[in-house]
Amino acid sequence: MELLAMFKNGAGLTALMLTAVWPASVVAGQPGNQASSETISALEAIMRKDISDTTPGCVVGIHAPRTDVLRAYGQADLERHVANTVDSVFNLASASKQFTAAATLLLANEGKLSLDDDIRKFLPELPKWDHPITVDNLLNHTSGLRDFRFTDWLTGRDTLAQGNPDILAYAARQKSLNHVPGQSHSYTNTGYVLLAIIIERVSGQSFADFTRDRLFVPAGMTRTGWEVDSQQLVDQRAMGYALAEPAQGERPAKFIQMPTARNTVGHGNLLSTASDMQRWNAALSRNAFGPKLTTQLEEPARLANGFVIGYARGEFVGKYRGLREIQHGGYNGIYTAWIGRFPEVDVSMSLLCNGDADNVSPHDLIDLFLPETLPELETSQSGDSKDLSVYSGVYRHIDSDQVSLLAFPSQAKLDGTRFVMGPYTYEFPVGHPERITRHTYGNSMEWARVPEWTPAASTLNTFQGRFTSDELLASYDISLDGQQLKLSLVGLSALTASLQPRAKDIFETQGLPQMQGILVRFKRDETGRILGLSVAPDGLHELPFRKVEAPDPVPY
């Protein structure tokens, strides 16, 4: 194979970039490992439904007993009309987390750290919270740390040239947590960036070098490395695209690029190919990294209340059609990925895409390669259909006073008085329409509905002002445009949302995609004077902003 490039110590892809092809023994169509023509036809129909020669696409690698498939679809570069190939390089987004978890476990198994260690042992920059966060809390998203990817959307930092030290500083500014560590599960990219820093400090190597030497090279993954420099050229990179306008009739879909200068790693930003991901799946299946590591990756987390969640260490674990499924997906706004294994039947798949409109379901592809004797998937909840939209509105948590905007469907399948939506199970007590019980991860929370409210037009001006967050390093201006209150991010006026009243002193953001449907709650002192506001995304601790004096505008 021809050597194309090697990038060292923070200069882009840190693994060797080789013109590698899938070994002949695992190429679709080779003698002894062919998928049937019917299976390939069905796969083609799924992949080409919304992918064409004028759209971004995907590369899919599938392994099943006596069968290996590797196929490419769509365009890697729409501007230059370059097609995806089986060697195209994609960003794995959050599917990258399993590698950070595996690197952490290698160090733990060598006695260089303990999963029970307080992370401040390695990261003394962090504040001393009331309850310590352990390394394992970071691995299974039970730390309570806020997610920098989410708050970056709120503050316009999502395209800035941030690196891992910036995320450490972000975590150090968090004076409170979303929940007590170990008591609940809240997915956060912040924890996995911190793990990458811990790995560097414990191993004495850069994170990129350690994972290359200890994971990628042993698994034969020659096309894999972290994007520690977003400006680095990458051989055979598939460019990422977001759908701007869907296709209508004869008019093709329109796509845009959404470049980012973010250089953070550990949580995402691993670049790789579908064939390398299949090598990774195979390495885990044969315990290539020691007798314990694969099992440790797949061990579901147990909360303090004894509840076992569906997240392990860098991987989701669950059941699909009666089989144990280990998988992790990824989406960063343009790239999507899904890496999964079904060890009981020796089936694995890697689906890497460079757009957000391929509409390919990983399970639709997997179903083509699973044994036909498996039970069919149950597609809906049992029970009667009921209109739950009457319960939609603003609710207040009885114990914490946290507010949340809850929206329910008009046609919902109930199991008795319960309705399941995502990780939450809702109960609607008979005779108490103003109350809801929400169950999640073995915890039950009582919520009371807050009455709707419309402010008098003459009082709208009292909400105006500048509000700043020391934690997020951001400020909002609240202004009045006619009879419409608006929220604007200071320094980025294009990030402006309308504020619609939902309950007393509580407004909903509208008109800005990254802040759609988020509650803004104004806080008053005992005299009724507004002192600040909080941004209240559902499921997260409210983010406080204090009111400050805005400087006089500078004339042009």
Side-chain angles (χ1 to χ4, degrees):
M1 293 186 287
E2 178 187 359
L3 177 64
L4 291 182
M6 183 194 303
F7 304 99
K8 295 182 179 179
N9 296 338
L13 276 174
T14 54
L16 298 180
M17 298 292 289
L18 307 177
T19 53
V21 296
W22 194 261
S25 62
V26 290
V27 175
Q30 292 296 315
N33 66 306
Q34 298 184 39
S36 69
S37 58
E38 292 83 1
T39 298
I40 293 299
S41 294
L43 185 147
E44 289 285 305
I46 294 170
M47 296 302 301
R48 296 191 183 279
K49 180 177 181 293
D50 290 299
I51 298 175
S52 71
D53 294 337
T54 63
T55 71
C58 308
V59 178
V60 58
I62 302 174
H63 167 78
R66 297 177 300 281
T67 301
D68 288 275
V69 174
L70 184 66
R71 301 176 81 88
Y73 303 87
Q75 297 289 295
D77 188 329
L78 293 177
E79 293 177 292
R80 297 165 184 82
H81 307 289
V82 178
N84 276 320
T85 73
V86 295
D87 292 319
S88 292
V89 175
F90 297 81
N91 191 309
L92 302 190
S94 283
S96 311
K97 288 182 172 66
Q98 56 198 289
F99 296 93
T100 306
T104 306
L105 291 171
L106 284 175
L107 293 173
N109 292 341
E110 292 169 357
K112 296 178 180 178
L113 60 79
S114 168
L115 299 185
D116 294 325
D117 281 337
D118 183 339
I119 62 173
R120 294 186 70 252
K121 176 180 179 180
F122 313 104
L123 306 172
E125 302 93 330
L126 297 178
K128 189 173 183 179
W129 293 293
D130 292 339
H131 300 83
I133 295 173
T134 68
V135 172
D136 217 14
N137 290 147
L138 298 184
L139 286 167
N140 53 43
H141 298 291
T142 60
S143 68
L145 287 165
R146 282 184 273 286
D147 185 1
F148 79 92
R149 288 299 312 276
F150 182 85
T151 56
D152 277 359
W153 280 106
L154 302 180
T155 59
R157 301 175 69 87
D158 52 294
T159 59
L160 298 183
Q162 299 183 89
N164 282 15
D166 300 299
I167 308 309
L168 175 58
Y170 165 84
R173 293 193 300 271
Q174 294 188 24
K175 305 307 179 187
S176 63
L177 301 172
N178 284 327
H179 55 76
V180 174
Q183 288 195 0
S184 190
H185 172 79
S186 55
Y187 190 94
T188 173
N189 289 282
T190 305
Y192 269 75
V193 172
L194 298 185
L195 284 169
I197 297 172
I198 290 173
I199 289 166
E200 290 186 329
R201 294 183 177 183
V202 171
S203 70
Q205 289 183 277
S206 73
F207 177 63
D209 285 351
F210 183 83
T211 49
R212 178 197 61 204
D213 295 346
R214 300 295 304 276
L215 296 176
F216 306 152
V217 170
M221 300 164 62
T222 58
R223 303 296 309 282
T224 300
W226 299 94
E227 189 174 31
V228 295
D229 181 356
S230 60
Q231 296 181 329
Q232 177 67 55
L233 300 181
V234 177
D235 182 61
Q236 299 189 70
R237 182 204 296 266
M239 305 301 293
Y241 299 92
L243 180 67
E245 296 180 19
Q248 287 190 350
E250 297 299 318
R251 191 191 73 188
K254 292 184 179 181
F255 295 87
I256 59 173
Q257 290 185 322
M258 295 178 63
T260 178
R262 183 184 293 113
N263 299 314
T264 52
V265 294
H267 68 298
N269 273 352
L270 186 66
L271 304 184
S272 191
T273 65
S275 53
D276 263 11
M277 287 302 98
Q278 286 300 89
R279 292 184 179 96
W280 170 252
N281 279 334
L284 291 178
S285 295
R286 68 173 185 269
N287 290 317
F289 306 106
K292 297 192 298 183
L293 189 138
T294 299
T295 299
Q296 291 170 316
L297 279 176
E298 300 171 4
E299 181 183 9
R302 183 182 296 273
L303 300 181
N305 62 3
F307 188 88
V308 177
I309 65 175
Y311 200 89
R313 298 181 176 106
E315 296 183 320
F316 289 92
V317 291
K319 290 282 188 178
Y320 178 71
R321 295 182 61 188
L323 295 175
R324 191 161 185 257
E325 178 186 59
I326 301 100
Q327 57 84 19
H328 208 299
Y331 173 62
N332 64 1
I334 45 180
Y335 291 96
T336 60
W338 191 92
I339 316 297
R341 292 178 292 120
F342 299 83
E344 293 163 316
V345 290
D346 188 26
V347 172
S348 68
M349 186 178 79
S350 299
L351 176 66
L352 309 183
C353 304
N354 63 321
D356 60 356
D358 52 85
N359 295 319
V360 175
S361 165
H363 285 150
D364 286 348
L365 299 175
I366 282 290
D367 283 340
L368 301 176
F369 296 87
L370 293 179
E372 296 179 357
T373 55
L374 293 177
E376 293 299 320
L377 182 69
E378 294 184 12
T379 57
S380 63
Q381 294 176 261
S382 60
D384 297 329
S385 180
K386 184 177 180 179
D387 182 4
L388 295 182
S389 62
V390 295
Y391 291 96
S392 297
V394 176
Y395 286 79
R396 179 180 60 85
H397 186 222
I398 297 298
D399 295 327
S400 69
D401 200 44
Q402 169 94 11
V403 295
S404 185
L405 180 63
L406 304 181
F408 298 99
S410 58
Q411 292 186 343
K413 291 290 186 181
L414 294 184
D415 182 5
T417 61
R418 295 187 170 219
F419 171 65
V420 178
M421 185 164 58
Y424 302 121
T425 297
Y426 293 91
E427 273 194 286
F428 307 92
V430 177
H432 297 279
E434 76 288 353
R435 290 293 184 101
I436 284 178
T437 302
R438 182 161 76 177
H439 307 275
T440 178
Y441 308 123
N443 300 311
S444 297
M445 295 164 284
E446 297 292 331
W447 296 79
R449 189 163 187 168
V450 182
E452 295 182 0
W453 168 79
T454 302
S458 60
T459 65
L460 290 176
N461 66 316
T462 63
F463 293 95
Q464 295 186 104
R466 175 163 294 182
F467 301 82
T468 190
S469 167
D470 297 326
E471 177 181 322
L472 301 183
L473 302 181
S475 298
Y476 291 131
D477 277 340
I478 306 296
S479 60
L480 190 58
D481 183 4
Q483 296 297 309
Q484 177 63 63
L485 278 176
K486 292 192 173 182
L487 176 150
S488 299
L489 182 66
V490 174
L492 288 172
S493 58
L495 295 182
T496 298
S498 299
L499 294 179
Q500 303 300 326
R502 296 303 304 264
K504 183 172 175 53
D505 289 341
I506 299 173
F507 296 77
E508 177 189 353
T509 58
Q510 294 183 354
L512 189 62
Q514 58 263 53
M515 287 192 71
Q516 188 72 20
I518 291 176
L519 293 183
V520 175
R521 184 185 193 184
F522 290 87
K523 302 297 180 74
R524 300 178 183 269
D525 63 13
E526 62 276 4
T527 68
R529 184 168 58 98
I530 291 177
L531 295 179
L533 62 79
S534 63
V535 179
D538 184 36
L540 297 183
H541 193 280
E542 291 186 15
L543 303 169
F545 287 69
R546 56 188 170 83
K547 191 172 185 178
V548 297
E549 291 295 327
D552 293 332
V554 178
Y556 288 104

